[in-house]
Amino acid sequence: MFLTGWRRESLVGAQRRRKLRSATAIGVTGSLVAGLLAAQTVPGPAAAAGVLTLSVDVSAARHVISPDVYGMNGGDPALVAELGMPVARWGGNASSRYNFKNHTYNTGSDWYFENIVAGPDNTVESFVKTNRDRGTKQVVTVPLIGWVAKDSPQSHPFACGFPATRFPAQDAFDPWDPNCGNGRLNDANLTGAVPTDTSIQVDASFAGEMVSHLVRQFGPASRGGVSIYQLDNEPVLWSSTHRDVHPEPVTYDELGSKGTATAAAIKAADPSAAVLGPSGWGYCEWVASGLDGCAPGADAAAHGGLNLSQWYLKNMKDFSDVHGGKRFLDYFDQHYYPQISGGKDPEANALRLRSTRSLWDPTYVDESWIGPGGVNAPPLQLIRTMKAWVAQYYPGTKVAITEYNWGALDDINGALAQADVLGIFGREGLDLATIWGEPKPTDPGAYAFRMYRNYDGAGSRFGEVSVSAVSSDQGRLAVYAAQRSSDKALTVMVINKTGNDLTSRLAVAGFNGQRTAQRFTYGAADLTSIRRGADLPVISGSVRATYPANSITLLVLPKRRH
């Protein structure tokens, strides 16, 4: 995760202990995008004068939007069903030591390093079955760390990484299990934990066994089984999150050798399945190993001066070349949490709406500690940088973000940011995304998803083919457009990020549409529903509309029937 201080656990609230995600809870070309940058990032004379203009060209910048960008890690079952959730992920810190043979995992630093036996609804098999029955693609994490949880009691006292019997003095102990401590004394990490207190040592063959087990139960990916396997979770944080079994910092060589061996074991067990990795926690892991810290150092120098992401991709490509060109990494994945406090004060709200630019904008300098001093920053332009590295070091690899959250999903501000992010994912050609800390069905953030996946309550969706959409001021009135495959309708998402009603003319080119545009709006005026407004006239290829303050509006322009 890209954050300091604001941990992702704060997004999902205080927990008794960290659990695996419940089964019941569940390529755009650079030249095309580059042509839009000036209009998207630099306000022209009209914008400077306060006149906002929007334009869509259905014949330009066309590319397919992956449905997998609308995924979640879990989510309320009713919301997941309503949205027709395309992809769900079995992941998180607890998955690093999940043992499919005894359904036991270790909570790591999230909750006193305790071994927990997963309940029937929390096993990997239950997750796969539930999502398969829904028609939802699954991403399942396999351990890479080298240890998995051993047999453990199903009730207190649990086996744990820093027991009081071995470490009597610690800063905190589980109030429900006083033998299990947090592994810290005087705010410093304790050393000397014995891995076999909680875990058994495994190698890449364990991942192969896990995949074979799931193939026997559900078939291979090519016949409806697990589609994607993730190579562990946030490995550079192992020396913190799972320091009772892996106190040493992760190096290039460890991540590379374990990654290729485990990917090979997965592909041997199910050649039709995809492999996703390395699923780094945030900016530091994006560019550096655990040994180097938060900038390339001696470890990078020993590996050609490449940062960790670049070398990871190259290492996977080299491994592929040695094995006759067989692909072992299908998705290059990172996690992204913007550096926002999580608050909803005016300053945090404004930053939240600006910070979505860090995903793509080459003129945006991240407004956090990453900022101008970070390696490869400015600009961050996360998605574009990931795609550029893929093109250079392992062409053909897809790009994913399997954890992200802009926060404030219970507020209209968070909904605006979420709608903006989903629009960016589609326009930028991201291949897969799953939000962590999913909105509740009644949260404004859920309506951001509905605007793309079920805006009319009857299952109607935003288009599947992204087309050129330009705003004279994307920071005030963001716009995204796509054409729908089923009826060829043009769908235009307009997000008013300001506290004022904004009126703008939308010019549409390359589209033979009907004379009216349907209008659907979600905004601060009514946080409980998406409103169907009066149809708008389409005159000489343009639509003039007023977009309410703090709102998301979808315009649907049906294609003219001959």
Side-chain angles (χ1 to χ4, degrees):
M1 63 203 77
F2 278 68
L3 75 172
T4 54
W6 181 38
R7 300 286 299 185
R8 72 178 175 212
E9 287 75 13
S10 66
L11 297 172
V12 294
Q15 299 182 46
R16 164 67 181 87
R17 62 177 67 93
R18 181 69 172 275
K19 293 186 177 182
L20 288 161
R21 303 316 301 256
S22 165
T24 56
I26 307 251
V28 61
T29 64
S31 60
L32 289 176
V33 176
L36 304 177
L37 286 182
Q40 290 173 336
T41 62
V42 182
V51 178
L52 289 166
T53 60
L54 306 174
S55 61
V56 169
D57 187 345
V58 179
S59 64
R62 292 178 66 89
H63 66 271
V64 174
I65 297 173
S66 169
D68 294 341
V69 299
Y70 304 112
M72 295 183 175
N73 274 269
D76 179 89
L79 179 62
V80 166
E82 176 194 344
L83 298 176
M85 194 56 55
V87 62
R89 170 177 171 263
W90 164 272
N93 291 337
S95 64
S96 289
R97 280 194 265 172
Y98 181 81
N99 187 341
F100 75 96
K101 296 179 180 180
N102 60 13
H103 305 301
T104 303
Y105 60 96
N106 187 278
T107 58
S109 61
D110 289 337
W111 191 267
Y112 300 101
F113 302 88
E114 295 176 357
N115 277 11
I116 306 295
V117 179
D121 292 337
N122 292 313
T123 66
V124 67
E125 295 89 350
S126 179
F127 169 85
V128 174
K129 183 180 186 304
T130 298
N131 285 285
R132 186 192 63 169
D133 291 348
R134 289 180 179 140
T136 298
K137 181 185 297 185
Q138 310 104 49
V139 179
V140 169
T141 302
V142 298
L144 197 75
I145 192 172
W147 298 89
V148 294
K150 68 180 186 181
D151 290 342
S152 183
Q154 296 198 24
S155 60
H156 299 293
F158 294 135
C160 48
F162 292 94
T165 52
R166 194 183 299 280
F167 301 95
Q170 299 185 54
D171 288 344
F173 292 91
D174 181 352
W176 288 273
D177 202 328
N179 187 51
C180 296
N182 70 348
R184 290 176 65 80
L185 181 61
N186 299 323
D187 288 329
N189 290 340
L190 293 171
T191 60
V194 177
T196 52
D197 281 350
T198 61
S199 304
I200 57 176
Q201 198 162 16
V202 297
D203 57 20
S205 64
F206 182 87
E209 292 180 60
M210 182 174 175
V211 174
S212 295
H213 166 72
L214 294 174
V215 168
R216 285 192 296 272
Q217 287 211 17
F218 304 106
S222 59
R223 295 203 299 271
V226 176
S227 299
I228 304 170
Y229 290 95
Q230 178 178 315
L231 298 173
D232 214 291
N233 179 75
E234 301 178 352
V236 168
L237 286 186
W238 289 339
S239 58
S240 172
T241 54
H242 295 281
R243 61 183 181 270
D244 57 322
V245 297
H246 197 296
E248 308 84 6
V250 169
T251 65
Y252 280 57
D253 287 342
E254 181 186 8
L255 184 61
S257 61
K258 285 184 173 179
T260 52
T262 303
I266 292 168
K267 293 287 188 176
D270 186 357
S272 63
V275 172
L276 177 150
S279 305
W281 66 268
Y283 178 75
C284 292
E285 186 164 347
W286 200 38
V287 298
S289 68
L291 187 63
D292 277 348
C294 202
D299 205 7
H303 293 82
L306 300 178
N307 70 36
L308 185 61
S309 290
Q310 294 167 332
W311 182 85
Y312 184 88
L313 289 163
K314 182 181 181 297
N315 185 61
M316 283 291 187
K317 174 65 163 56
D318 291 345
F319 188 75
S320 172
D321 291 344
V322 170
H323 291 80
K326 180 178 179 180
R327 178 168 285 278
F328 291 93
L329 183 73
D330 300 275
Y331 291 85
F332 175 49
D333 172 53
Q334 297 290 351
H335 298 166
Y336 184 49
Y337 293 86
Q339 303 294 276
I340 303 168
S341 67
K344 290 176 277 192
D345 56 278
E347 183 178 354
N349 285 345
L351 175 57
R352 182 174 292 108
L353 296 179
R354 291 194 306 271
S355 66
T356 61
R357 295 167 59 192
S358 63
L359 290 168
W360 65 276
D361 189 347
T363 72
Y364 180 71
V365 178
D366 194 83
E367 301 173 66
S368 72
W369 61 271
I370 297 173
V375 180
N376 302 114
L380 190 60
Q381 46 180 347
L382 179 78
I383 296 173
R384 294 187 181 186
T385 300
M386 290 174 71
K387 291 169 79 73
W389 288 344
V390 161
Q392 184 172 0
Y393 297 105
Y394 199 175
T397 307
K398 297 178 180 179
V399 176
I401 301 174
T402 58
E403 287 190 24
Y404 73 93
N405 196 309
W406 257 257
L409 292 171
D410 59 350
D411 187 86
I412 185 60
N413 180 262
L416 299 177
Q418 182 61 43
D420 197 29
V421 165
L422 293 176
I424 291 167
F425 286 169
R427 187 193 67 199
E428 295 296 311
L430 191 68
D431 294 293
L432 185 149
T434 48
I435 188 172
W436 181 282
E438 307 79 16
K440 300 181 182 69
T442 56
D443 282 345
Y447 286 92
F449 278 91
R450 289 185 177 104
M451 290 295 288
Y452 286 90
R453 300 288 295 177
N454 186 23
Y455 61 82
D456 61 356
S460 296
R461 296 174 180 172
F462 189 66
E464 301 94 346
V465 179
S466 181
V467 302
S468 170
V470 178
S471 170
S472 60
D473 191 340
Q474 187 81 354
R476 295 167 64 201
L477 207 58
V479 62
Y480 306 94
Q483 190 164 19
R484 197 157 53 204
S485 301
S486 59
D487 58 2
K488 307 302 180 184
L490 174 63
T491 57
V492 182
M493 197 74 70
V494 182
I495 304 162
N496 183 350
K497 297 183 176 184
T498 78
N500 301 309
D501 293 353
L502 297 176
T503 299
S504 177
R505 173 180 173 271
L506 167 68
V508 179
F511 182 70
N512 187 18
Q514 297 183 22
R515 296 180 179 178
T516 58
Q518 301 167 11
R519 175 173 47 174
F520 299 84
T521 300
Y522 179 77
D526 179 6
L527 297 179
T528 64
S529 65
I530 297 170
R531 293 182 175 181
R532 169 70 189 269
D535 288 354
L536 299 169
V538 180
I539 302 172
S540 300
S542 69
V543 183
R544 186 173 179 82
T546 296
Y547 302 97
N550 297 309
S551 69
I552 310 162
T553 297
L554 179 66
L555 301 178
V556 180
L557 285 68
K559 188 172 179 62
R560 181 172 296 177
R561 297 173 183 171
H562 297 290

